Amino acid sequence: MGVSRFQAKNASTGYNPIVELAKETDTPLHLWKESTLVVDGDGHPVASFEANKALKKVWEILEAAIEYSTLHSKEIHHSASLFNFFERWCNQAVEAGDMNKREMELVLGMSQMWGAYVGDHVELQSLKYFYLEDCINGDDCFIPTNYQKIMARVSAVPLAQAHIYLDTVMVSVEARIDEPRPVCLTTSDNREQYFDDIVVTVPLGWLKQHKESIHDLHPRIKSAIDSISFGRLEKVLIEFPTAFWNSITADAGNDFNDSVSFVHWLSPSYATQSNPHKWRLECVSFNAFPEPYRRNILLFYTFGDCSTHITTSIHGLQGAARDQWLQNFFEPYYSRLPGYAKTCAPLRFLATEWCNDEFAGNGSYSNFQAGMMDAAQDVEVIRHGMPEQHIFFAGEHTAPFDGLGTVAGAYTSGDKVARRIVRNRQAEPATLDNL
């Protein structure tokens, strides 16, 4: 249920360690085709050519926004959002006669899909620091199975050579320079252990709530941890007896390559009881996978307040009660897809609850929201850590700028900090005050 969707190539280097690990371990990769269904705010399907044209325009504007943010970040006001950029772009296109009002409505509605990438609303995404989200280039990949082989590969050495303590919580990390091993780690079983160096890899959300666990944490690192925002991405998988949503392409005699890949529901006016705030939704179809991975499953991505509402509502519910709540919430959407009938009722549901998981930090991963004053340096100071105290940080929130918020970035950050530690055994590290 973790990360399964990512870009095939790093935006600057063209290299993605997860793709390479997938190839080495014979883990299958699926490249999505832009076959999109869009349901408008009244619950009616949008013509295919309109939907795919709007999706293409959204990506065009996203790429333009990345370029604009990269070139003009210093001049952009910290309150400006990505949605402001979309509105300005569309208004200019309408005035120039390059876009009509209907097309503008579709593009602005579909711009909300950015929330499924960063875990919160496009209106909250900082334009000034949008360049820090520059991981959208390259093919959109998906692992149609799981990370089992990749995890086995990367965990082989730790499992063979390291001591791993499960069901044990880190309580504190403290530099004790006068000790032979200068860093003391205290765990929930009241055990103190000493190390040459420690790398803190907890999620940013957990770190925000437990800054005091890092003793003598540098004030600039504290402010950076507070400043960087944290997304609320969740997933809900719904399995059906048939992939009824492919009825149009199936009737035309098409193969899986023409199956629907993405579905977007624009802000709905038809689900006032279950969704009075009109949160838009989207999903990917597992029926677009080739055999033997094809399944009659829709994977919904939710974010922001919608995720909070869902995870709060289902928390503590079990079995039929949990499934019934999820069915009541999602039925207004999947029931508006082509080919739906009452015989297509869901077989089962599976939903994440990262917003309820304290060890996930009650959320998903870092993002950069409007209002941030110095996001780039915030990342850099956490990434730098406190080498003079032999305390370092790793994770997606310390990744290179073009890997922030990604599993590839998290992997890369760990590799880089490990190399730094090895080098630091031979040389005196710089201090945070000299950054």
Side-chain angles (χ1 to χ4, degrees), residues 173 175 207 211-226 377-378 380-389 391 393 430-435:
V173 174
L207 201 55
K211 294 187 295 296
E212 72 285 350
S213 66
I214 314 295
H215 288 201
D216 298 318
L217 185 63
H218 194 286
R220 183 63 185 90
I221 296 180
K222 283 184 181 179
S223 66
I225 291 169
D226 287 335
Q377 193 182 54
D378 288 337
E380 288 173 340
V381 298
I382 302 175
R383 182 192 300 154
H384 182 77
M386 300 188 297
E388 68 281 1
Q389 297 186 44
I391 297 173
F393 298 90
T431 67
L432 186 61
D433 296 314
N434 294 328
L435 263 188

Side-chain angles (χ1 to χ4, degrees), residues 52-77:
N52 286 294
K53 180 180 179 181
L55 180 63
K56 184 177 180 180
K57 180 60 67 175
V58 167
W59 282 112
E60 179 184 331
I61 298 173
L62 284 170
E63 291 171 0
I66 286 281
E67 182 179 6
Y68 181 77
S69 177
T70 302
L71 296 175
H72 303 287
S73 180
K74 290 183 179 180
E75 303 97 69
I76 298 172
H77 195 272

Side-chain angles (χ1 to χ4, degrees), residues 278-326:
K278 298 183 178 181
W279 296 306
R280 53 87 65 198
L281 291 166
E282 72 175 73
C283 74
V284 298
S285 168
F286 284 15
N287 199 255
F289 296 153
E291 293 291 2
Y293 312 112
R294 198 186 314 175
R295 298 289 185 272
N296 301 326
I297 291 175
L298 295 177
L299 166 57
F300 283 81
Y301 291 93
T302 67
F303 54 85
D305 295 337
C306 182
S307 289
T308 299
H309 171 67
I310 292 172
T311 54
T312 301
S313 299
I314 65 176
H315 187 59
L317 294 181
Q318 301 291 333
R322 184 183 178 93
D323 288 352
Q324 188 61 59
W325 192 96
L326 291 168

Side-chain angles (χ1 to χ4, degrees), residues 239-244 327 331 334-335 339-347:
E239 185 176 14
F240 298 88
T242 61
F244 58 87
Q327 181 168 339
E331 187 173 26
Y334 61 72
S335 64
Y340 179 78
K342 289 296 183 181
T343 55
C344 303
L347 300 176

